[in-house]
Amino acid sequence: MLVNPCTSILCNTPNSALLSPFPHSKLGSSPSCHRFPRKPEHRSFSCILWRKQSKGFFGIRALEESRVSESVASDDALFFPQSYSVKIPVGDRHILVETGHMGRQASGAVTVTDGETIVHTSVCLADVPSEPSDFFPLYVNYQERFSAAGRTSGGFFKREGRAKDHEVLICRLIDRPLRPTMLKGFYHETQILSWVLSYDGLHSPDSLAVTAAGIAVALSEVPNSETVAGVRIGLVGDKYIVNPTMKEMEESELDLLLAGTDNAILMIEGYCNFLQEEKLLRAVEVGQDAVRVICNEVEALVKKCGKPKMIDAIKLPPPELYKHVEEIAGDELVKVLQIRNKIPRRKALSSLEENVLTILTEEGYVKPDVASGPTETVPDLLEDEDEDEEVVLDGEVDEGDVHIKPTSRKATPLFFSEVDVKLVFKEVTSKFLRKRIVEGGRRSDGRTPDEIRPINSRCGLLPRAHGSALFTRGETQSLAVVTLGDRQMAQRIDNLEGADELKSFYLQYSFPPSCVGEVGRIGAPSRREIGHGMLAERALEPILPSDDDFPYTIRVESTIMESNGSSSMASICGGSLALQDAGVPIKCSIAGIAMGMVLDTEECGGDGTPLILSDITGSEDASGDMDFKVAGNEEGITAFQMDIKVGGITVPIMRKALLQARDGRKLILDEMLKCSPPPLKRLSKYAPLILIMKVKPEKVNAIIGSGGKKVKSIIEETGVESIDTQDDGIVKITAKDLSSLEKTRAIISNLTMVPSVGDVYRDCEIKSIAPYGVFVEIAPGREGLCHISELSSNWLAKAEDAVNVGDRIDVKLIEVNNKGQLRLSRRALLPDTDPGSPSEKQDTGSTTKDIVASQKTAERSSAKKVLNVPKDGLAEGQPDSKVGAPKLGSSHKSTPAEDTLLPQKKFIRRLVGSTRDEHNVNKDTSKKSSSKAISTVSSKDETSLVNGEANIG
């Protein structure tokens, strides 16, 4: 009989007009055997394809003649099974779930729509089970198609490539809640494929993908315990929002993604800005209520169109094997589990496992190299022989010249297999470990349930790195390194929104095999590494300064040097110390801790109350029921992630774990304060310097120049590393030394200055001479006309009578016309500037006297202002020197305090005063220390030198 006739796949042609010209009456009359011509184009037969649950393979049965002659409408009904759809309330709107109209050949396929965001998910499983293992063979792939947002990939091939980091993170979000619901003993490889087919930029697809995967698995043949659904929870003000829009998330204090069943929580992951534990628990309750509604609706849908579960395919080790393993290894396990160090304990357990296998083999229960199991059906490939006709027996399928014929292959019946022994040994070990913790109150390393492992931390290990820290907690060790750079070091992310996102802070986590004493392959980061790195990154993000206060791109590398549990939390602790060592002015220190749990304590000799474990090790993670990572400080939480291995936990259990985690974080933070040597809390001498300037937005093109030629020439001339310009007029100059930084600042100030009438420019070069006057360069690339009548107080026949090309003169700006052209005057700065006196012709000698006299008079004058700074802080004049900005330590005499301060870079984002401010400072103020002078510069000057210092707490 068919497993599910209404969802079977019909292999015949739906239109009777397209059938073979041979009449149906000529087909064989036997219900199990039909004869037909050999030529494929003349074959006419129909068959039903179904999955045989107990054996895990496909069977093919030819239809009887009466079935072939069924109506076209009946054929179409089989070819196009009925589609189902249901609207499910989620928050303040509905999501649409559809199945049966796309991906019908998959074991389960659904399309979930929220607004105009559409996610399609399919579930397929292998026909033949794989080798038994302790890890369910589940594979998840999630992909965001750029066509969903009307775009193409930015790569050369214009198609989606390998999964991006945020796609990998969503794969993990799908995998983690589904895995605990998969029944043990089911070894058919299962694959979940999820695509974003449409994206409206308003409704996030990640929570939809989790829900779609849970529904697809529930509809499929995969045996799972309960239906899974996922939602996102935001917190705007005091309102909790289920599946908030992207605009609402911009104002949210919380980003929580929760997955669970109708009565328990399976997975949570989220980030917040020092949120209190009670607010987080309230958000979990709101999410659990929303998940319950979805699961109830999905269960009703499964009753209508779900496929029968492959329960018969589940193969568990024989129950009597547990008794044999406990009798052989029980006493020795108690001793081995008391070994405190990880590597010796692991080797002792491996040796004990081999001993159990040897004893069972000697007693005849196990024979190596031969695996026991049920009778398998293996297809044999049979080549066609030269015959006119062939007989297709019941259970075969015609595939042209090659037929796949199932044959039986019986394995030698044995009592136990080696794989079963290893699986049972691991379960027995886990049972003994849990029993030791519950009954004895002591863990493998001798700690109590709420005790933290010994902590040691050091900073400044790497002299050339901008910041470094080594954080050690028990047998877990993280080396965190911080690198500071400019905008070019930012991480570019190609997303569906269309605009490339630039991340100025990112943390990269690596887990080499050497950290656990093993040999392994080194390659691209694994999904686990990407997930742990993102968790640590989001945990540290809330303590970073704003881009205005610290405009550096910050990269943190966490390399796990040694691991025995909670290495991602060690990365948070080490990263916090390394940021301080690099001089990043973080808001406070934070720490991370991993919590574990033994849920059912009655089976281990307890009273049934769940036992929460603080700072779990690797074995406690593997044998326990929960891995709950929490990061933050005493005041609140910044990041959290929970995975469980049981059917779910409740809010009261989570509350107990959160409160115990808060106590653990306080202790860890106290130990981090004992860091020796402590973090430097100032910029390294090898870190780049960044100068921020504010110019008028319309002047940005003057800095860039045609095709970027101008900015490239400035970089080559001054030796700075980069000049980054933004459309809003922000200019960031990155350099390794202060002199090149100030030289670049002077050039840009001259290029972008806005001249105003009355400004005086000294020692300006004459670039060219015309019959009506001379052109004077008052700043690099900026010239003005000094008319012949403004060259001298006396009448001149031609300009050459007074000046020549290359001469340097002082001029005053007397007019700026509506075209922006500058009119200059030299006569206005000469001593005899009586406009009523008659003009007289003078020779060149008298003109030279005028020049010398005017320069001496200008030098004696103390009332004239050299630099004019408008409200927007832009330099509008020219200082005494050629450049238009002060050169720290060179353009003015510095006090001893200044000479000491500037090379050491002790100040945090102090404003560098303009020349005008320096000339107006009175003598008493100039005698004060340089640090006070810099800190009291007017805030109107928007040019600033960034040189950070960590400011903790």
Side-chain angles (χ1 to χ4, degrees), residues 55 57 128-129 131 372-378 407-411:
K55 300 300 182 182
F57 63 91
V128 179
E131 288 294 326
S372 65
T375 301
E376 296 181 354
T377 302
V378 180
T407 59
S408 298
R409 184 181 67 188
K410 295 183 179 180

Side-chain angles (χ1 to χ4, degrees), residues 765-769 803-807:
E765 183 181 359
I766 297 175
K767 288 295 187 179
S768 61
I769 298 178
V803 293
N804 296 311
V805 174
D807 289 349

Side-chain angles (χ1 to χ4, degrees), residues 842-872:
Q842 292 183 345
D843 56 10
T844 307
S846 62
T847 303
T848 305
K849 287 183 178 181
D850 292 341
I851 298 173
V852 175
S854 65
Q855 291 177 347
K856 291 181 179 180
T857 302
E859 291 172 358
R860 290 195 301 269
S861 176
S862 61
K864 290 187 178 180
K865 297 179 180 179
V866 179
L867 186 66
N868 185 16
V869 180
K871 292 181 179 180
D872 59 1

Side-chain angles (χ1 to χ4, degrees), residues 136-162:
F136 182 75
L138 176 64
Y139 307 97
V140 179
N141 290 89
Y142 168 90
Q143 187 179 62
E144 294 178 350
R145 298 286 176 86
F146 284 95
S147 58
R151 298 181 57 223
T152 58
S153 175
F156 176 80
F157 295 102
K158 300 302 178 186
R159 68 177 297 170
E160 291 77 9
R162 71 179 185 89

Side-chain angles (χ1 to χ4, degrees), residues 815-953:
E815 182 184 352
V816 180
N817 64 15
N818 54 5
K819 295 183 180 181
Q821 295 172 335
L822 309 180
R823 184 183 174 194
L824 306 173
S825 174
R826 174 174 171 268
R827 184 167 64 107
L829 301 179
L830 297 178
D832 298 330
T833 56
D834 185 3
S837 60
S839 298
E840 297 180 2
K841 184 178 181 180
Q842 292 183 345
D843 56 10
T844 307
S846 62
T847 303
T848 305
K849 287 183 178 181
D850 292 341
I851 298 173
V852 175
S854 65
Q855 291 177 347
K856 291 181 179 180
T857 302
E859 291 172 358
R860 290 195 301 269
S861 176
S862 61
K864 290 187 178 180
K865 297 179 180 179
V866 179
L867 186 66
N868 185 16
V869 180
K871 292 181 179 180
D872 59 1
L874 302 178
E876 297 184 353
Q878 185 79 359
D880 291 338
S881 61
K882 182 177 179 180
V883 295
K887 294 186 177 181
L888 296 182
S890 60
S891 63
H892 66 284
K893 293 182 179 181
S894 60
T895 63
E898 288 176 319
D899 294 337
T900 303
L901 173 69
L902 293 177
Q904 292 182 352
K905 303 186 278 287
K906 290 283 187 179
F907 51 93
I908 311 172
R909 187 153 177 83
R910 303 305 189 195
L911 299 179
V912 179
S914 65
T915 307
R916 179 179 182 181
D917 293 329
E918 295 177 29
H919 280 277
N920 291 334
V921 175
N922 57 44
K923 295 181 180 180
D924 295 336
T925 305
S926 63
K927 292 179 181 180
K928 296 180 180 180
S929 65
S930 175
S931 60
K932 292 183 179 180
I934 292 176
S935 63
T936 56
V937 172
S938 171
S939 62
K940 293 182 180 180
D941 188 352
E942 298 186 26
T943 303
S944 56
L945 176 65
V946 178
N947 206 332
E949 176 179 314
N951 184 19
I952 312 303

Side-chain angles (χ1 to χ4, degrees), residues 556-865:
V556 180
E557 301 168 78
S558 175
T559 304
I560 305 304
M561 310 304 291
E562 187 179 352
S563 177
N564 187 15
S566 67
S567 59
S568 60
M569 299 296 98
S571 300
I572 294 173
C573 300
S576 178
L577 291 171
L579 288 171
Q580 299 176 46
D581 191 57
V584 180
I586 62 176
K587 299 174 184 177
C588 62
S589 295
I590 66 170
I593 186 171
M595 311 297 294
M597 179 184 66
V598 178
L599 183 61
D600 188 4
T601 55
E602 286 186 355
E603 65 177 10
C604 303
D607 58 359
T609 304
L611 180 63
I612 306 298
L613 306 176
S614 296
D615 186 24
I616 58 174
T617 61
S619 60
E620 293 166 345
D621 183 7
S623 301
D625 298 324
M626 179 182 73
D627 181 11
F628 192 5
K629 303 179 177 71
V630 187
N633 61 2
E634 304 94 330
E635 299 179 358
I637 298 170
T638 60
F640 51 90
Q641 183 184 93
M642 185 194 73
D643 300 317
I644 63 171
K645 301 178 181 64
V646 291
I649 64 172
T650 59
V651 174
I653 297 176
M654 190 177 297
R655 176 180 283 106
K656 182 178 179 182
L658 283 173
L659 295 178
Q660 190 167 322
R662 182 176 61 186
D663 296 337
R665 292 198 310 271
K666 290 180 181 179
L667 191 148
I668 296 171
L669 288 169
D670 291 339
E671 293 297 320
M672 289 169 60
L673 292 176
K674 302 176 184 178
C675 178
S676 179
L680 293 178
K681 299 185 180 181
R682 61 178 174 84
L683 280 181
S684 167
K685 62 181 179 180
Y686 301 110
L689 301 175
I690 295 181
L691 180 71
I692 301 176
M693 298 181 65
K694 174 68 176 176
V695 303
K696 289 188 176 296
E698 59 268 21
K699 295 292 182 181
V700 172
N701 289 335
I703 303 173
I704 299 174
S706 177
K709 292 182 180 178
K710 188 62 181 178
V711 70
K712 291 177 181 177
S713 65
I714 297 174
I715 293 175
E716 292 177 358
E717 179 183 350
T718 61
V720 296
E721 292 186 346
S722 66
I723 300 175
D724 179 33
T725 59
Q726 301 177 16
D727 294 338
D728 59 356
I730 297 295
V731 180
K732 297 180 181 179
I733 309 169
T734 306
K736 291 184 177 180
D737 58 272
L738 196 60
S739 60
S740 60
L741 199 70
E742 284 301 315
K743 187 176 180 181
T744 306
R745 176 185 184 274
I747 295 175
I748 293 177
S749 296
N750 292 329
L751 284 174
T752 60
M753 70 177 183
V754 180
S756 61
V757 176
D759 291 348
V760 176
Y761 302 94
R762 303 289 183 183
D763 197 30
C764 300
E765 183 181 359
I766 297 175
K767 288 295 187 179
S768 61
I769 298 178
Y772 46 83
V774 298
F775 288 92
V776 183
E777 185 182 51
I778 62 173
R782 196 68 184 272
E783 296 181 3
L785 173 64
C786 183
H787 195 267
I788 191 172
S789 62
E790 298 293 338
L791 275 175
S792 175
S793 56
N794 300 316
W795 182 85
L796 295 175
K798 54 182 180 179
E800 287 86 346
D801 293 340
V803 293
N804 296 311
V805 174
D807 289 349
R808 293 186 174 274
I809 60 175
D810 298 336
V811 291
K812 181 179 181 179
L813 181 62
I814 59 176
E815 182 184 352
V816 180
N817 64 15
N818 54 5
K819 295 183 180 181
Q821 295 172 335
L822 309 180
R823 184 183 174 194
L824 306 173
S825 174
R826 174 174 171 268
R827 184 167 64 107
L829 301 179
L830 297 178
D832 298 330
T833 56
D834 185 3
S837 60
S839 298
E840 297 180 2
K841 184 178 181 180
Q842 292 183 345
D843 56 10
T844 307
S846 62
T847 303
T848 305
K849 287 183 178 181
D850 292 341
I851 298 173
V852 175
S854 65
Q855 291 177 347
K856 291 181 179 180
T857 302
E859 291 172 358
R860 290 195 301 269
S861 176
S862 61
K864 290 187 178 180
K865 297 179 180 179

Side-chain angles (χ1 to χ4, degrees), residues 238-479:
D238 295 329
K239 182 181 179 182
Y240 294 92
I241 304 175
V242 179
N243 278 7
T245 62
M246 301 299 289
K247 291 182 180 179
E248 289 172 331
M249 282 304 301
E250 293 176 359
E251 304 175 1
S252 177
E253 302 177 39
L254 171 68
D255 181 6
L256 164 65
L257 202 145
L258 178 145
T261 65
D262 60 347
N263 57 8
I265 302 163
L266 294 172
M267 182 272 296
I268 63 170
E269 180 169 325
Y271 313 98
C272 45
N273 191 7
F274 299 101
L275 196 69
Q276 296 293 327
E277 281 80 2
E278 290 302 325
K279 287 187 176 182
L280 175 57
L281 290 169
R282 176 56 187 154
V284 171
E285 292 176 349
V286 172
Q288 177 62 29
D289 293 339
V291 166
R292 184 179 298 110
V293 173
I294 299 175
C295 292
N296 292 336
E297 294 287 343
V298 172
E299 288 175 1
L301 179 65
V302 171
K303 291 180 181 179
K304 294 180 181 179
C305 56
K307 295 182 180 179
K309 300 296 182 180
M310 297 176 60
I311 303 297
D312 294 342
I314 296 177
K315 302 300 177 184
L316 295 173
E320 54 270 21
L321 180 57
Y322 291 86
K323 181 180 179 181
H324 285 286
V325 172
E326 288 188 18
E327 290 177 352
I328 297 173
D331 295 338
E332 191 68 22
L333 267 177
V334 174
K335 299 178 182 178
V336 171
L337 292 177
Q338 295 179 11
I339 301 176
R340 296 195 173 191
N341 294 330
K342 175 183 176 179
I343 300 299
R345 183 171 63 249
R346 186 182 69 186
K347 292 181 177 180
L349 286 173
S350 178
S351 176
L352 183 58
E353 181 186 67
E354 291 296 328
N355 187 35
V356 171
L357 269 172
T358 301
I359 293 175
L360 290 176
T361 302
E362 292 175 351
E363 293 179 357
Y365 293 111
V366 176
K367 288 186 179 180
D369 301 328
V370 180
S372 65
T375 301
E376 296 181 354
T377 302
V378 180
D380 289 340
L381 298 181
L382 302 178
E383 294 292 335
D384 282 341
E385 298 178 357
D386 294 334
E387 297 179 1
D388 293 336
E389 295 182 350
E390 292 182 9
V391 176
V392 181
L393 300 176
D394 188 17
E396 294 184 9
V397 60
D398 179 70
E399 295 286 349
D401 291 337
V402 178
H403 295 282
I404 301 175
K405 182 178 180 181
T407 59
S408 298
R409 184 181 67 188
K410 295 183 179 180
T412 305
L414 298 174
F415 198 12
F416 305 127
S417 69
E418 289 189 11
V419 175
D420 286 339
V421 174
K422 292 182 179 181
L423 291 174
V424 170
F425 180 82
K426 183 175 181 179
E427 291 188 31
V428 171
T429 302
S430 176
K431 175 183 175 181
F432 274 69
L433 177 63
R434 294 157 64 94
K435 187 175 181 180
R436 168 181 165 80
I437 296 173
V438 174
E439 284 187 348
R442 291 286 175 178
R443 294 145 80 172
S444 294
D445 52 8
R447 288 183 293 149
T448 59
D450 60 349
E451 189 175 350
I452 309 297
R453 289 174 290 177
I455 294 175
N456 179 42
S457 52
R458 299 173 54 195
C459 284
L461 281 79
L462 312 177
R464 299 291 299 207
H466 299 162
S468 60
L470 182 67
F471 179 84
T472 307
R473 177 166 52 195
E475 292 181 301
T476 299
Q477 190 176 70
S478 168
L479 175 63

Side-chain angles (χ1 to χ4, degrees), residues 13 92 226 339 419 544 725:
T13 307
D92 57 356
E226 294 183 85
I339 301 176
V419 175
L544 296 176
T725 59

